[in-house]
């Protein structure tokens, strides 16, 4: 008896919020898995014929299944089978009702045994962008349907046509699968994937069209960890959304921007970083929420970080966000893009690679961020701004003008890079006054040496005709660069970082070795 | 009336604010737990870089080209490192970047083929006496259920190659999955939706207690290798079975082979073929037999059979209950090593494994001249200098690049060779110890 009490005590002592959170998630998945049905439609020709696989959810004790209508619209379809949970063999089902808004209701031709569990639907007025959801479906693998697979994401946005977008991903077999909130309440079904997101039809839209299915219940948030997380993520998204705007320029894909000060918007500007490109892109339009577009002008850009500061009339209720302190690894982060894309994840790493230009000190997150999020905000659980979302995609080079790009416009690789505000804030005062930041040019060809960087060759004039710092300092081949602007130079990447921290016309100290002597000279950095 | 409504509204807002206060406190605590867990496990995770050394015959420079990259986890204080075979495939020079530096790694044991089928590879790290490690004995598979939280730590796209791994969080989507890619077969694998991208391979999967529960190896990728939210990890119990054998045998352990072939379309574990000469044939199993139980567990499909019997090392004995015709009988089958054709041949001798002279050269019409002697090599010790003209190596005249190449191909690192050079009209002979191309000759930019 005493050992039992001791063990119980020990167990509670070790129960952290994380283990509690895990238990809650496990319970939710356990509760909803018995409502998932794996289905396949065949053309009647047996194993050698055509087959499509999809999922659905059970709504009542009779075994009525709700699924997406798309996969049923195949001319070759003759028979549909459903594998009810716990059942040993597939049951033939037929279509009870099909609707153009995207859903279908199926009923079994024989009573499924054992009696399947029904899902409990909740009203969706409680689900906001940011609500964490779990997609549970039957993924089709080499060995047929396995146990239901669960993956989580967030409700990313609510579209005008009444559907929602979620940041979960559809895999083979999960079309038509249901999405639940973290408490196990049915929110809707997955219709298809579009731009890297799942299009979700809310259960309420289904019930509007077909009354003979169970009604929804209001969502009740309890005091568990999952409830707390749901509430906090929704609240953070609600607090920060007003500060994220849409930026539209000719010839560029729609992007996002952040209000950093009254009248100023910061946006991602991969190509707007030369005078010619800036001219070609005007007029630039900024959209605040659902309001009509306002015209903006480019005040300054940073060619190293590839962002631009725009001047635009910001509405009175559009206050800039407060800045978050330096985030820790493992902290939750919410990515917000325009018009309404909200995804969540954790901070994977702070301080990116030395040789990953220009993301030297970028923050990494696994919240799904895509090209649409570029220029948007990453906020913490209190809605404070962590940084601006960049989009660095290592898997392909984006071509903004091709069809191919637009097809992949929304997709995420699962790896997002964010420029921390600590890097951006010092630049703003100068940028507001119209000072551009461009990559400085040293005019030196160097290679790694045991004592620093050995100068192999120097250039007196930059390609655009400016006198280079190498020329002003009187550098010769054979000198060894030791320090630039206070940064010790060990590899060429250190040189890149040192240059990256400064801009054209900055005066910096350059130290180098010549004939055993260290010489320090102050040079003015020039542009390319 | 308005006053009442106003008061009610304030109460509601106040209640909402209180709700939020409680919620944010819980989420802060949750974040603190996650941060603590991450900080305790990330020092054991490393980024693996697999370099191939290419000798440029015109200059003698050795370029280290990144041939592969991945992740892995340190599992013993002596420096044993767990990763995937496909990360170290064609193992050239392996570098593992941990949080406190880059360590040279070599394949553990005598042979280099690794456990190809199951994708488990063990490396030995060099350079430190004690390493921070994750205990591979602690992870419990029974704890993991669908909905369990898992953390994948690794080096996606090489972004952690400086030794600071990247963490992604997700849930366990399922267990007991089978997946295969490029000849590697994962059986009884854990499926997770933590983001697994190219580069995460070989990296660990941790549960909420910070225990190692899997090694991430396979992700379902879309075009251009984007992750899709479906990743597979080798479970720790499977790894444990093999690790014990690998450490005991100091090297290679093969997956067990039984030689039974099934048809997935027929109900039950129905044998359609038994490979000739296999353990299955030796025990008298034949076509039309149905396997009912493996090691006491009922199996109703070939997939279930593979999940139990396909992931065991060679030499393991499995107990089968088989129905032949109308009778049931019990069979004890000892798994053999798979035939060589299944495992693949050992990779050919890697480039750069040849000995390197320790200096770079330039080839002109008049001969081959030393361009630069590299620090710390046998050539530097022997006193070779810039502008020396190369005449002979190891007794062979090497006045053309073709002769030089064919001579170098026969030499190994560490060999002592006599190098004959001409300097200022004199002929000088020196004994030079050849160095390892990748380690000493290829590291300068």
């Amino acid at each position: 008896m005493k050992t039992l009490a001791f063990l119980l005590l020990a167990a509670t002592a070790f129960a952290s919020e994380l283990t509690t959170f895990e238990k809650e998630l496990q319970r939710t998945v356990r509760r909803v898995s018995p409502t998932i049905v794996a289905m396949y439609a065949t053309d009647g020709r047996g194993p050698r014929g055509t087959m499509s696989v999809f999922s659905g959810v059970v709504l009542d004790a009779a075994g009525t299944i709700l699924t997406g209508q798309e996969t049923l619209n195949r001319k070759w379809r003759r028979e549909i089978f459903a594998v009810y949970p716990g059942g040993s063999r597939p049951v033939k089902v037929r279509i009870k009702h099909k609707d153009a808004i995207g859903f279908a209701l199926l009923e079994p031709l024989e009573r499924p045994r054992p009696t399947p569990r029904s899902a409990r639907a909740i009203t969706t007025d409680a689900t906001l962008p940011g609500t964490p959801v779990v997609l549970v479906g039957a993924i089709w693998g080499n060995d047929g349907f396995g146990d239901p697979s669960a993956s989580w994401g967030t409700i990313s946005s609510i579209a005008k046509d009444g559907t929602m977008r979620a940041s979960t991903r559809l895999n083979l077999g999960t079309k038509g699968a249901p999405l639940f909130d973290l408490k196990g309440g049915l929110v809707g079904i997955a219709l298809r994937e579009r731009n890297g997101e799942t299009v979700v039809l809310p259960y309420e839209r289904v019930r509007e069209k077909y009354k003979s299915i169970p009604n929804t219940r209001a969502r009740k948030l309890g005091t568990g960890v999952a409830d707390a997380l749901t509430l906090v993520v929704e609240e953070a998204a609600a607090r920060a959304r007003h500060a994220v705007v849409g930026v539209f320029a000719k010839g560029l894909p729609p992007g996002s921007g952040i209000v950093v000060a009254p009248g100023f918007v910061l946006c991602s500007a991969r190509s707007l970083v030369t005078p010619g490109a800036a001219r070609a892109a005007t007029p630039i339009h900024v959209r605040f929420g659902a309001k009509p577009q306002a015209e903006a002008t480019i005040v300054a850009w940073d060619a190293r970080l590839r962002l631009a500061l725009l001047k635009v009339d910001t509405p009175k209720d559009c206050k800039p966000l407060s800045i978050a302190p330096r985030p820790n690894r493992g902290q939750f982060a919410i990515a917000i893009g325009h018009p309404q894309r909200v995804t969540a994840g954790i901070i994977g790493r702070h301080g990116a690679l030395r040789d990953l230009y220009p993301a030297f000190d970028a923050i990494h997150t696994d919240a799904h961020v895509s090209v649409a999020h570029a220029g948007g905000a990453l906020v913490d659980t209190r809605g404070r701004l962590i940084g601006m979302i960049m989009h660095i995609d290592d898997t392909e080079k984006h071509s903004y003008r091709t069809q191919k790009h637009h097809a992949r416009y929304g997709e995420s690789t699962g790896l997002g890079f964010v420029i921390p505000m600590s890097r951006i804030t010092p630049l703003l005062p100068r940028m507001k006054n119209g000072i551009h930041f461009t990559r400085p040019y040293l005019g030196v060809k160097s290679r790694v040496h045991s004592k620093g960087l050995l100068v192999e060759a120097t250039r007196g004039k930059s390609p655009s005709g400016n006198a280079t710092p190498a020329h002003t300092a009187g550098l010769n081949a054979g000198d060894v660069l030791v320090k630039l602007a206070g940064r010790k130079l060990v590899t060429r990447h250190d040189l890149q970082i040192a240059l990256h921290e400064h801009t054209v016309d900055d005066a910096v100290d350059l130290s180098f070795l010549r004939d055993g002597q260290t010489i320090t000279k102050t040079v003015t950095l020039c542009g390319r | 009336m308005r006053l009442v409504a106003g008061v009610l509204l304030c109460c509601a807002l106040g209640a909402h604010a209180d709700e939020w206060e409680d919620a944010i406190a819980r989420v802060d605590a949750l974040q603190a737990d996650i941060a603590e867990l991450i900080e305790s496990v990330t020092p054991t995770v490393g980024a693996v870089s697999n370099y191939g050394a290419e000798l440029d015959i015109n200059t003698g420079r050795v370029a280290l080209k990144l041939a592969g990259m991945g992740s892995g986890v340190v599992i013993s204080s002596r420096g044993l490192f767990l990763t995937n075979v496909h990360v170290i495939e064609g193992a050239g020079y392996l570098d593992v970047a941990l949080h406190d530096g880059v360590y040279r790694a070599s394949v553990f044991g005598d042979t280099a083929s690794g456990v190809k089928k199951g994708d488990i590879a063990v490396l030995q790290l060099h350079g430190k006496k004690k390493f921070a490690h994750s205990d591979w004995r602690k992870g419990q598979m029974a704890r993991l259920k669908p909905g369990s939280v898992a953390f994948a730590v690794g080096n996606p796209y090489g972004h952690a190659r400086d030794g600071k791994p990247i963490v992604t969080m997700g849930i366990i989507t399922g267990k007991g999955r089978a997946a295969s890619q490029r000849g590697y077969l994962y059986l009884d694998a854990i499926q997770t939706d933590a983001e697994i991208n190219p580069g995460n391979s070989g990296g660990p999967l941790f549960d909420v207690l910070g225990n190692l529960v899997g090694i991430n190896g396979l992700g379902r990728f879309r075009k251009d290798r984007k992750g899709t939210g479906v990743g597979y990890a080798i479970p720790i119990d499977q790894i444990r079975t093999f690790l014990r054998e690998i450490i005991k045998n100091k090297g290679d352990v093969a997956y067990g082979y039984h030689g039974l072939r099934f048809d997935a379309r027929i109900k039950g574990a129905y044998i359609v073929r038994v490979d000739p000469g296999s353990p299955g044939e030796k025990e008298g199993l034949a076509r039309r037999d149905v396997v009912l139980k493996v090691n006491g567990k009922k199996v109703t499909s070939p997939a279930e059979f593979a999940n139990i019997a396909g992931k065991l090392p060679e030499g393991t004995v499995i107990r089968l209950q088989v129905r032949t015709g109308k009778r049931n009988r019990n069979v004890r089958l000892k798994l053999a090593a798979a035939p060589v054709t299944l495992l693949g041949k050992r990779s050919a001798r890697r480039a750069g494994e040849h000995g390197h002279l320790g200096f770079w050269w330039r080839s002109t019409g008049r001969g081959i001249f030393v361009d630069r002697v590299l620090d710390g090599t046998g050539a530097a010790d022997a006193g070779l200098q810039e502008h020396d003209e190369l005449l002979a190596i190891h007794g062979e005249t090497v006045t053309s690049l073709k002769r030089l190449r064919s001579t170098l191909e026969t030499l190994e690192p560490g060999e002592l060779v006599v190098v004959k050079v001409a300097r200022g009209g004199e002929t000088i002979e020196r004994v030079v110890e050849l160095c390892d191309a990748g380690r000493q000759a290829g590291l300068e930019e």
Side-chain angles (χ1 to χ4, degrees), chain B residues 357 373 377-385 388 417 419 421 423 428-433:
Chain B
L357 290 166
V373 180
T377 57
D381 293 339
L384 293 179
Q385 294 175 8
D388 287 351
V417 296
V419 175
V421 296
R423 184 188 300 167
I428 302 171
E429 282 191 359
R430 291 273 185 269
V431 175
V432 174
E433 185 186 346

Side-chain angles (χ1 to χ4, degrees), chain B residues 11 17 23 73 115 137 238 259 297 319-320:
Chain B
C11 283
V73 57
V115 191
R137 284 172 280 239
Q238 199 178 127
K297 290 201 199 75
R319 296 183 328 263
L320 304 176

Side-chain angles (χ1 to χ4, degrees), chain A residues 264-299:
Chain A
F264 288 99
V265 162
L266 197 67
C267 72
S268 174
R270 286 175 74 121
S271 49
L272 292 180
V273 294
T274 58
R279 262 199 305 276
T282 38
I284 299 183
H285 295 284
V286 169
R287 179 178 286 169
F288 299 87
K291 298 196 181 74
Q293 297 180 343
E295 226 177 273
T297 47
I298 301 183
V299 174

Side-chain angles (χ1 to χ4, degrees), chain B residues 258-289:
Chain B
H258 42 70
L260 306 174
R261 304 231 183 227
F262 300 90
D263 188 334
R265 290 173 300 180
I266 304 175
K267 188 157 161 239
Y270 186 96
I271 301 174
V272 292
R273 203 170 83 97
V274 179
D275 288 344
S278 67
E281 197 196 38
K282 285 202 195 79
E283 297 300 326
L285 293 168
R287 189 181 151 81
R288 299 237 180 99
D289 290 350

Side-chain angles (χ1 to χ4, degrees), chain A residues 43 74 119 129 142 155 226 285 337 381 388 487 501 517:
Chain A
D43 60 1
R74 301 273 187 270
N142 294 332
I155 298 286
H285 295 284
T381 47
M388 187 179 98
R487 183 174 275 272
E501 283 172 346
Q517 283 214 326

Side-chain angles (χ1 to χ4, degrees), chain A residues 247-471:
Chain A
V247 175
F248 306 91
K250 207 163 45 162
L252 294 178
S256 308
I258 313 174
V259 175
V260 287
F264 288 99
V265 162
L266 197 67
C267 72
S268 174
R270 286 175 74 121
S271 49
L272 292 180
V273 294
T274 58
R279 262 199 305 276
T282 38
I284 299 183
H285 295 284
V286 169
R287 179 178 286 169
F288 299 87
K291 298 196 181 74
Q293 297 180 343
E295 226 177 273
T297 47
I298 301 183
V299 174
W301 56 74
D302 186 327
R304 309 158 307 163
L305 296 174
R306 295 186 202 154
L307 43 84
L309 190 67
L310 309 174
K311 187 158 175 58
V312 68
D313 282 324
T314 51
K316 278 205 186 54
D317 54 350
C318 226
K319 287 202 194 60
L321 301 169
S322 52
I323 311 289
R326 189 196 150 105
N328 297 319
R329 244 195 311 209
Q331 194 175 314
F332 288 111
I334 297 125
I336 304 177
H338 187 85
Q340 240 192 20
R341 301 175 77 128
V342 177
T343 58
I346 61 166
I347 302 284
R349 182 186 149 142
H350 189 312
L353 285 177
R354 281 169 32 223
D355 55 354
L356 187 67
Y357 184 85
F360 298 129
D361 52 359
I363 299 167
H364 167 272
T365 175
D366 67 352
H368 293 179
V369 296
S370 58
V371 176
H373 278 97
L378 191 76
V379 300
D380 68 359
T381 47
R382 285 172 166 77
R384 300 178 297 199
L385 186 60
I386 298 176
M388 187 179 98
I389 301 170
M390 288 168 99
H391 185 67
I392 298 180
D393 191 348
D394 292 83
T395 57
E396 59 171 7
K397 294 224 174 339
H398 281 302
S399 164
Y400 287 112
R401 285 162 189 71
T402 61
Q403 196 80 37
K404 225 169 53 164
H405 163 72
H406 287 292
R408 295 202 201 104
Y409 172 66
E411 280 193 43
S412 147
T413 55
L415 205 83
F417 277 80
V418 172
I419 312 173
M421 282 316 284
S422 55
R423 176 144 211 84
I424 298 177
T425 322
L427 308 172
L428 288 177
R430 283 208 266 177
M431 282 181 87
K432 279 187 195 162
N433 288 332
I435 297 179
H436 304 297
F437 287 85
T438 44
R439 253 175 93 176
Y441 184 75
L442 203 58
V444 159
K445 184 167 176 225
S446 63
R447 107 170 159 231
V448 173
H449 186 272
S450 49
K451 296 208 174 53
L453 292 175
L454 177 68
V455 176
E456 288 181 327
T458 61
R459 274 187 87 133
K461 280 208 189 308
S462 77
S464 47
N466 304 319
T468 61
H471 179 80

Side-chain angles (χ1 to χ4, degrees), chain A residues 26 51 77 79 118 194 201 229 243 245 256 266 282 284 304 315 331 351 354 356 417 443 452 469 516 525:
Chain A
Q26 287 173 339
M51 188 168 83
R77 181 184 51 75
E79 297 171 319
S118 322
R194 186 132 174 248
L201 183 67
L229 188 62
V245 302
S256 308
L266 197 67
T282 38
I284 299 183
R304 309 158 307 163
Q331 194 175 314
R354 281 169 32 223
L356 187 67
F417 277 80
L525 297 173

